[in-house]
Amino acid sequence: MTITLRLAWRNLWRYPRRTWLTASAIAFVTLLMVFLITLQLGSYDLMVDSSLRIFTGQLQVQREGYLDKPQIRTVVPEALALAQRMRQSPALANVGIAARAQGFALASSGRRSYGVQVVGAEPEHEPRVSTIPRLMKSGRYLSRLDAPEAVVGATLARNLNIKVGDELTLLGSAMDGSVAATVVPVVGLFESGMRELDRQLVELPLRTFQETFGMGDAGHAIVLVAPDLKALPQLRTAVAALLPEGRGLVALDWERLIPGLKQLIQADWASGWFTYIALIVVVTFSILNTFIMSVLERTREFGAMLALGATPARIGVLVFFESLFLTLIGLALGMGLGLLVAFYFSVYGFTYPGLAELMGQYGLPGLIYPKLSFVSVALGPAVILGFVLLASLYPALRIRRLNAVEAMHAV
Amino acid sequence: MEHTVICRNVSKIYRQDAVSVQALTDINLEIPRLDFVCLSGPSGSGKSTLLNLIGGLDKPTSGEITVDGARVDLLDKGALAKLRLHRLGFVFQSYNLIPVLTARENVEFVMQLQGVRAVERSEKARDILKEVGLDGLEDRRPGELSGGQQQRVAVARAIVSQPSLVLADEPTANLDSKTAENLMQLLRHMNREHGVTFIFSTHDRLVMDFSRRLITLHDGRIVDDRKRE
């Protein structure tokens, strides 16, 4: 170890209490950053996973162009058969797969009418790609693929003033442009927690939908949900390999299906960083104060060093190393403690009063698991290191202005 | 005769706000190589200012100063730092050792700045500390040494890289008379054995008695300059 490094290290311990206090401040912010960032990223995973499991799914096979312009004619041919083939593929074992058809209709009951989204679902397989079948507020979910029945969002039911057992009239456009109409009993009302779904979604069994809308055996989407969202790239590859060629079918992941969710996460991530940066800046100023004190009280010593032939840059490097060592001590402590806290909650889950009740209403877990990864753990400390080292440049640069004679006479 | 220091018409005026203080006036001086020169005079006479100018720590307001062949009044900051590092040694009144380094590390510090290899540094530091009478105390920090011992470390630090000139500003001011005498004997020994020119400032009659040339300043002017036997 060169004398400069040795000197920098020993200078830290001239006032151990001050060094420990400063290192503790850095450690505390680091701990907070490690925990909060891992928790924030974990909450995004939970948010994405939960949102996708309610209705959209992680991946959908659609006819190219349907996403941008959802016309009833833009179909996935032989949707049920394709979904069945996928379910039989060993590459998609443990993956929930269900075919759907989608259209728009006017829903009427008595004197009230509302525009609704109508979805044809496979009652047997829909529970593996959507939580709606488990979120029935009253009644039951759809029974058979060709049963003449419907389930309706709770808000829509309230708006239409209907309840389980009442009849619902659907009037829309069939695939060939003719009038599509049916009257079905409502067998259940669901409450997904997603306002749009609860206000405008009606689900029919897929065959009933196909008959009503003149779809033949076609659908509009095959919805897929894997046990773990992290496996999405592999899932997409496996699905793409199973798609029949020349039909214009594409596999779209959730980021394409609901870009709003990603934008919401990005906005939340950015606003989170405003708070983090404010926290870091406050701590950086208190650390800067320590650095400046440490330099000011050694003005005479620096004056002597300049007289002996040390350049201001050399002394600046010394001060920079002192700051670096101090920061690294704080970061190491903070990262160690932060990792311990984050690891504990990544195993046992983190919650706060009211979260479990809120999430439980929609069939979702009430625990957030911090996401431990190199990036989630190292990002906060790296930003702190950058800020603190930037701050340490100030006292290092002040040394450039020192005059050896004046410095040696400093009190 | 070869001169280590030549001052030609050197003046120094300190200006602060509207006030000017004439610290040195028209100093002309030649100090031959290997001389052992004492600058004496009352406080404020300009001793320290002259040492600072010769050491390149400050710039004269007018005049020329040549040290070891280099015009220090014309050099920039970087060149002056290099000159001080390689050709000058300094001994200060209050020792100015680095408190967190041991005696050996303090001596090595200057050599490290010079880029001397670690093994050579260590060897030279050990030898010079032995020579100044600090054998066995190399690993003590300044706080664990007496004032006289600390000043010996400072002398070892000043002399270790064989400078042409050592400037000592009141080196015995904080020492008792016995310790001061020992230190002066050491400086004279270094002057003879290491072939280094010494210029030191003092108020102390005992210290003046060790010099071979005594220059007296008063109000920034040389009022007496005599060789001593």
Side-chain angles (χ1 to χ4, degrees):
Chain A
M1 192 161 62
T2 68
I3 289 180
T4 306
L5 293 180
R6 213 178 306 166
L7 185 54
W9 178 253
R10 287 184 199 166
N11 278 335
L12 273 190
W13 304 107
R14 287 187 187 204
Y15 300 100
R17 188 186 301 177
R18 185 170 68 190
T19 297
W20 279 121
L21 276 173
T22 311
S24 301
I26 298 171
F28 179 69
V29 180
T30 309
L31 184 155
L32 271 183
M33 291 287 286
V34 168
F35 177 62
L36 291 178
I37 289 175
T38 53
L39 188 68
Q40 196 173 2
L41 292 175
S43 73
Y44 293 153
D45 281 357
L46 177 72
M47 189 202 293
V48 169
D49 198 45
S50 304
S51 301
L52 301 184
R53 281 175 196 281
I54 288 175
F55 184 70
T56 308
Q58 297 162 354
L59 195 77
Q60 284 192 15
V61 173
Q62 294 180 358
R63 183 77 170 267
E64 199 166 5
Y66 180 78
L67 181 69
D68 300 323
K69 202 173 178 188
Q71 291 180 320
I72 197 165
R73 295 188 303 274
T74 314
V75 297
V76 176
E78 299 171 356
L80 277 169
L82 178 59
Q84 186 58 26
R85 267 207 310 283
M86 286 181 170
R87 283 191 284 268
Q88 286 164 352
S89 165
L92 299 178
N94 299 323
V95 176
I97 301 168
R100 278 187 198 151
Q102 301 170 153
F104 296 93
L106 191 69
S108 303
S109 125
R111 296 197 330 236
R112 290 184 179 181
S113 300
Y114 283 92
V116 297
Q117 183 184 5
V118 186
V119 166
E122 289 186 272
E124 187 187 347
H125 300 290
E126 187 67 15
R128 292 203 62 197
V129 299
S130 167
T131 52
I132 286 177
R134 295 199 301 274
L135 296 173
M136 303 312 295
K137 192 181 169 197
S138 61
R140 59 166 174 82
Y141 189 63
L142 306 172
S143 56
R144 295 188 331 272
L145 201 56
D146 56 356
E149 58 193 21
V151 292
V152 177
T155 311
L156 177 62
R158 194 165 56 245
N159 291 340
L160 287 169
N161 198 17
I162 55 172
K163 55 187 185 303
V164 173
D166 290 348
E167 284 192 332
L168 181 71
T169 304
L170 295 170
L171 182 66
S173 262
M175 200 166 97
D176 59 3
S178 61
V179 174
T182 187
V183 179
V184 283
V186 174
V187 295
L189 308 180
F190 62 82
E191 190 161 33
S192 68
M194 294 181 81
R195 209 165 47 180
E196 279 189 17
L197 293 179
D198 294 344
R199 200 171 52 194
Q200 62 180 41
L201 185 66
V202 173
E203 287 195 9
L204 303 176
L206 183 56
R207 285 255 187 256
T208 308
F209 183 99
Q210 286 169 332
E211 281 169 24
T212 305
F213 288 86
M215 301 273 300
D217 57 2
H220 293 106
I222 312 290
V223 184
L224 297 99
V225 172
D228 191 349
L229 190 60
K230 285 198 271 295
L232 188 59
Q234 295 92 305
L235 178 65
R236 187 165 43 204
T237 310
V239 168
L242 291 169
L243 295 183
E245 281 182 27
R247 300 269 180 97
L249 299 182
V250 289
L252 304 171
D253 62 24
W254 68 271
E255 289 182 16
R256 286 286 319 279
L257 295 167
I258 33 176
L261 184 58
K262 193 171 186 193
Q263 285 159 6
L264 182 75
I265 287 171
Q266 284 168 339
D268 185 74
W269 180 243
S271 72
W273 272 96
F274 274 113
T275 314
Y276 298 151
I277 295 292
L279 187 68
I280 292 172
V281 166
V282 169
V283 171
T284 301
F285 274 108
S286 73
I287 293 163
L288 177 62
N289 186 42
T290 305
F291 290 161
I292 290 174
M293 284 294 293
S294 155
V295 167
L296 285 179
E297 71 196 9
R298 284 184 289 154
T299 303
R300 281 175 73 104
E301 198 174 307
F302 292 149
M305 288 164 88
L306 288 170
L308 292 173
T311 57
R314 186 84 184 213
I315 301 172
V317 167
L318 171 73
V319 172
F320 181 78
F321 272 121
E322 287 174 25
S323 311
L324 179 67
F325 287 153
L326 180 59
T327 310
L328 289 180
I329 292 170
L331 287 180
L333 276 174
M335 279 181 81
L337 291 171
L339 257 176
L340 275 179
V341 174
F343 179 73
Y344 175 84
F345 286 114
S346 75
V347 173
Y348 296 103
F350 177 83
T351 189
Y352 50 83
L355 179 69
E357 290 76 11
L358 181 73
M359 301 290 275
Q361 288 173 23
Y362 310 114
L364 300 173
L367 290 171
I368 302 170
Y369 293 90
K371 184 178 182 176
L372 285 176
S373 69
F374 177 77
V375 172
S376 66
V377 172
L379 186 61
V383 175
I384 294 170
L385 181 69
F387 268 78
V388 176
L389 290 186
L390 203 64
S392 75
L393 288 179
Y394 175 67
L397 289 174
R398 269 182 70 105
I399 291 165
R400 292 177 65 86
R401 298 207 301 265
L402 275 187
N403 171 287
V405 177
E406 287 169 11
M408 280 193 289
H409 289 105
V411 179
Chain B
M1 185 185 283
E2 195 181 338
H3 291 101
T4 303
V5 178
I6 302 168
C7 296
R8 298 265 181 256
N9 306 317
V10 172
S11 293
K12 176 68 183 176
I13 300 169
Y14 288 110
R15 289 190 178 88
Q16 195 169 17
D17 301 325
V19 183
S20 294
V21 178
Q22 182 88 31
L24 289 175
T25 308
D26 210 20
I27 300 290
N28 285 287
L29 189 62
E30 290 178 347
I31 296 175
R33 208 170 77 79
L34 302 185
D35 209 346
F36 198 69
V37 178
C38 175
L39 301 177
S40 72
S43 292
S45 60
K47 306 184 295 291
S48 296
T49 302
L50 184 54
L51 282 180
N52 289 339
L53 293 181
I54 293 170
L57 297 171
D58 209 348
K59 292 271 187 185
T61 309
S62 62
E64 300 173 5
I65 301 173
T66 306
V67 175
D68 207 21
R71 281 282 300 276
V72 295
D73 57 297
L74 298 179
L75 295 178
D76 63 18
K77 272 187 173 182
L80 283 172
K82 206 172 271 183
L83 177 88
R84 290 197 296 270
L85 181 61
H86 293 280
R87 286 145 83 175
L88 303 183
F90 287 87
V91 178
F92 306 103
Q93 178 182 335
S94 46
Y95 328 131
N96 283 347
L97 299 176
I98 300 169
V100 294
L101 296 182
T102 64
R104 186 171 52 76
E105 289 165 342
N106 264 289
V107 175
E108 279 190 43
F109 179 71
V110 174
M111 287 189 283
Q112 201 213 344
L113 294 178
Q114 291 174 331
V116 178
R117 285 187 310 116
V119 178
E120 191 183 339
R121 272 198 327 246
S122 181
E123 246 171 50
K124 280 188 167 178
R126 200 175 49 239
D127 292 346
I128 198 76
L129 284 169
K130 195 172 178 182
E131 194 174 340
V132 300
L134 293 175
D135 198 13
L137 301 176
E138 301 93 335
D139 293 326
R140 291 201 186 173
R141 291 192 183 184
E144 298 164 337
L145 298 170
S146 68
Q149 288 168 333
Q150 287 188 56
Q151 198 58 302
R152 281 167 181 265
V153 175
V155 170
R157 179 177 67 181
I159 211 88
V160 70
S161 45
Q162 294 290 326
S164 312
L165 172 67
V166 169
L167 301 165
D169 190 8
E170 309 239 13
T172 60
N174 290 342
L175 305 176
D176 60 60
S177 57
K178 182 67 188 162
T179 312
E181 191 177 342
N182 288 340
L183 184 82
M184 290 313 296
Q185 281 169 353
L186 174 68
L187 294 183
R188 198 158 62 184
H189 165 81
M190 294 296 181
N191 170 243
R192 285 175 182 154
E193 298 302 316
H194 289 267
V196 179
T197 308
F198 273 80
I199 306 175
F200 48 91
S201 65
T202 190
H203 287 104
D204 192 340
R205 173 56 57 187
L206 180 140
V207 175
M208 293 176 207
D209 288 345
F210 274 86
S211 66
R212 282 203 292 275
R213 182 178 172 189
L214 180 61
I215 298 170
T216 308
L217 289 113
H218 196 274
D219 287 341
R221 294 174 191 275
I222 294 175
V223 293
D224 192 23
D225 185 351
R226 68 180 69 176
K227 285 199 166 52
R228 294 165 48 87
E229 292 308 315

